[in-house]
Amino acid sequence: MKNMVNYPTKKKLNPNQTIRPTQTKKGMSLEDDLNQSNTYYREMDLAIVHKKPTPITVVSVDYPVRSKARITEAYYRIASTTDYNGIYKGKMLDFEAKETHTKTSFSLNNIHAHQIDHMISIRKHGGIAFLIIRFVTLDETYLLFIEDLVEFVKMNTRQSLPYAWIVEKAYRIPYKLGCPIPYLAVLDSVYFKGVTP
Amino acid sequence: MKNMVNYPTKKKLNPNQTIRPTQTKKGMSLEDDLNQSNTYYREMDLAIVHKKPTPITVVSVDYPVRSKARITEAYYRIASTTDYNGIYKGKMLDFEAKETHTKTSFSLNNIHAHQIDHMISIRKHGGIAFLIIRFVTLDETYLLFIEDLVEFVKMNTRQSLPYAWIVEKAYRIPYKLGCPIPYLAVLDSVYFKGVTP
């Protein structure tokens, strides 16, 4: 069971780390849960979705042995797009996933403006774009379509989405064993009524 | 003019490097040319295509100043998917781009088997998947659809695509100023006859 929870990144628990009940039951983090869900979807051949690599600018590389380059100086850079994309039932999917420890709102500072612009472009060109937001302390995960986020930004000046607004506008994703964040079910109910793969 | 050729990655020429006429005329490398083409397509709002970051596994990070993480040990890892993806006229695009200095064939060792499998999956799920192959010494760039590559692999045991076969099955992409690899024109002629964005 422990291996399964850690699958597929097999991140080791720090033995000094406090384990919250939700972690032992429901996976390590939003990223781990999404990796596991995407692996499940790929293995079932339902959708092909991958997390993009973290963008890193390499400054220096050593070659201690000819075959193995060792990067000795590099820096993280800001992603120009979102973390996840792929395809489902012929449609391109593009999304960003963020956790928050706040209970009452989700700060838009969590998402870069150019990431929102990117998702708007993807939607405009015929893809499906959304955020996956997890309220860690509440143990609730939501899918918010970019259209609804754009609507909020148009109508409001505040820089955070109130929890109550998210409950109303976003789609709660229930936990599922083996596929902890079954977000395709939300797409089925909204975009693909009656469409089979 | 030189700045324009180097745009957008601004890779500096090694002063000891021999400059071939095609480089000064037509851009630095296949990657630079694709970056410039994708930037052009995004700015014209015709398609949203990005190169994915290079996958790197980070081992150690220093924090000389609180705000700036410095990676001090990291390694390149093999990409699990292709280098480029995006969306055009509602369809997901997924492709890999490779240069060869051989004149007579393109070795399939340039592409990992799992990258081919990935492209087959994308095609199966309704996307458009292809290779962009440049014969550097001939200064010719081709678009080869994954379907045709799969057909070749089924019918042949050899591990390289003969140049003559590529000329017959793939689509030559002519150079265009400002958009050095106008690959969307090939998709228009094959997939989108009469479709407007």
Side-chain angles (χ1 to χ4, degrees), chain B residues 61-79:
Chain B
V61 184
D62 264 8
Y63 295 87
V65 285
R66 222 182 138 78
S67 57
K68 186 101 177 160
R70 177 185 167 161
I71 298 162
T72 54
E73 187 182 355
Y75 299 92
Y76 293 105
R77 61 173 196 272
I78 293 173

Side-chain angles (χ1 to χ4, degrees), chain A residues 69-120:
Chain A
R70 177 183 168 164
I71 298 162
T72 55
E73 186 183 354
Y75 298 92
Y76 293 106
R77 62 173 194 273
I78 294 173
S80 49
T81 64
T82 46
D83 268 358
Y84 298 88
N85 72 15
I87 190 164
Y88 178 53
K89 291 181 180 173
K91 288 275 187 192
M92 185 179 184
L93 309 184
D94 196 291
F95 60 99
E96 187 66 23
K98 292 288 177 194
E99 295 180 316
T100 181
H101 285 80
T102 316
K103 287 180 189 175
T104 54
S105 66
F106 175 79
S107 170
L108 290 175
N109 295 330
N110 284 306
I111 315 280
H112 293 288
H114 64 267
Q115 292 182 312
I116 295 179
D117 291 341
H118 171 75
M119 288 188 278
I120 292 170

